[in-house]
Each structure stands twice: as C-alpha cells, then as structure tokens.
Amino acid sequence: MQIKDLEFEKLIDSAVIADKVRELAGRLNSDYAGKSPVLLPILNGSFMFASDLMKELTIPCRISFVKISSYSGTNSTGQLKTLIGHEESLFNQDILIVEDIIDTGLTIEKIMLELRELGAKSVETVSLLRKQPAREKKVDVKYIGFELENEFVLGYGMDYDGLGRNLKDLYRSIS
Ligand code: IMP
C-alpha cells in the first residue's frame, strides 16, 4: 500500500489488535479494582485505541483527552512540551495515560513528571506499541501491547503526514 512517498505492508491484523486490547483491559480491570481512574489519551494518535480500550473496561472510569503542546522555552533546553486540555482537576486522581506508541519515550517521561507534580495520586501509562529506543532506555510504561523494532508504523489511529489514521490494521513502512 502506498501513502504519499512511502510503501507500507500489513504488520498486525485488526483481530489481533482487538485481542490485545481485551487482554490489556483485563489487566487494568483487575489492577484498578476498587478504584476509579481517569483515562488521559494523548491526541491525536491514541483516539482509536482509547475508545476500544474504554469499551472493555468494567471499572468505573472517566476520560479526558489531552494534547501535547510544544513551545520555545526561555531556558537552554529550547523546545519544551506541556500537557494541554485537561478540564477537571487531576489532583489526587489515579491517572492512566493512554498512548498509541512510545518511541524515544521523551514525551511520556515529561508528561508523567508533570502529572505527578500536579498532585495525581498515581500515574501509569498504557501504550499499544513500544519501539526499541524506549525499551533500551527502560522508560517507565507499565502496560504495553506490542513491542516493535525501530520502524515507522501507521493505521489504527496513527498517521503519516496526517493520513492513514482510518485504517483498521497496523502497517509498517518498507521503503
Ligand atoms: P516519543 O516522544 O519519541 O516517544 O514520541 C512518541 C510520539 O511520536 C507518539 O505519540 C506518536 O505520536 C509519534 N510517533 C512515534 N513513532 C511513530 C510511528 O511509527 N508512527 C506514527 N507516529 C509515531
């Protein structure tokens, strides 16, 4: 399959993704028994995963979609990232960040730190996919669906230049 200048091949079928989502939800239903977590999907890529995952949760839970905004800071680190869009207070809440894919892990590490500083009771992350750099760096992600090599993927909410999010299966670039 061709999207713009890149060629893609199917990597994970939608039925296999659905099984994995049910498995992750099963772990969450048991680990969060007696609690009422707030799901925090990071837009845009995680909208489809978050929707399917939430449908499989049987614990009482809320959802608040957030975005990462990059802005130029005044300090030497240059580009800083921060979380925008959460309407309700996350203070004293059990937060479950929902990510599509962790690559270097820089985004998720920054967001987890920010949420802990806001006074969340607990902060964990569920990510459908994790790439090799984050695995090597041992980024703190408790719930992971599939491990990937260092390859570019799209489909199931993830995009290449805005395209491909609507695909039910997951594809990888072969060009
Ligand atoms: P990180 O900060 O390097 O871990 O980047 C994570 C974010 O980069 C994800 O939430 C995605 O939005 C994006 N991303 C990383 N790898 C891919 C990919 O293979 N396909 C689509 N988006 C990706």
Side-chain angles (χ1 to χ4, degrees):
M1 184 189 59
Q2 181 91 21
I3 294 199
K4 298 189 89 173
D5 56 326
L6 293 185
E7 185 75 23
F8 290 87
E9 67 175 11
K10 199 196 270 193
L11 181 62
I12 309 176
D13 189 82
S14 59
V16 178
I17 296 175
D19 282 348
K20 185 61 78 177
V21 171
R22 274 192 289 274
E23 182 193 315
L24 287 169
R27 286 180 61 196
L28 295 171
N29 284 330
S30 128
D31 288 0
Y32 285 86
K35 297 180 179 171
S36 181
V38 180
L39 273 60
L40 228 54
I42 315 271
L43 291 172
N44 293 323
S46 68
F47 76 97
M48 207 174 274
F49 173 46
S51 164
D52 287 347
L53 185 72
M54 197 179 189
K55 280 183 273 184
E56 298 295 335
L57 293 180
T58 51
I59 44 170
C61 53
R62 296 185 171 81
I63 193 162
S64 184
F65 289 87
V66 292
K67 274 203 155 197
I68 308 288
S69 104
S70 295
Y71 58 92
S72 297
T74 49
N75 65 15
S76 57
T77 57
Q79 281 279 301
L80 297 177
K81 288 179 172 175
T82 191
L83 204 56
I84 53 168
H86 48 92
E87 298 118 28
E88 44 206 290
S89 170
L90 303 177
F91 179 77
N92 214 22
Q93 299 290 324
D94 291 305
I95 307 292
L96 187 60
I97 302 169
V98 183
E99 259 288 34
D100 49 355
I101 184 163
I102 315 273
D103 183 357
T104 63
L106 288 174
T107 309
I108 204 68
E109 282 185 332
K110 170 76 181 67
I111 294 313
M112 289 181 87
L113 184 68
E114 192 173 329
L115 289 167
R116 288 189 175 118
E117 284 171 358
L118 280 175
K121 194 195 286 177
S122 70
V123 183
E124 296 294 352
T125 300
V126 54
S127 182
L128 182 69
L129 305 163
R130 178 170 70 171
K131 287 196 198 179
Q132 196 188 15
R135 196 155 61 241
E136 280 172 5
K137 251 182 81 192
K138 297 194 169 45
V139 177
D140 177 21
V141 180
K142 189 165 179 184
Y143 306 94
I144 295 155
F146 301 98
E147 301 282 5
L148 299 180
E149 295 312 307
N150 206 355
E151 53 201 349
F152 187 78
V153 296
L154 99 168
Y156 197 65
M158 283 157 272
D159 74 307
Y160 172 49
D161 204 14
L163 298 172
R165 294 193 197 275
N166 52 315
L167 299 163
K168 288 191 183 73
D169 309 302
L170 195 78
Y171 291 79
R172 77 162 151 223
S173 163
I174 49 171
S175 43

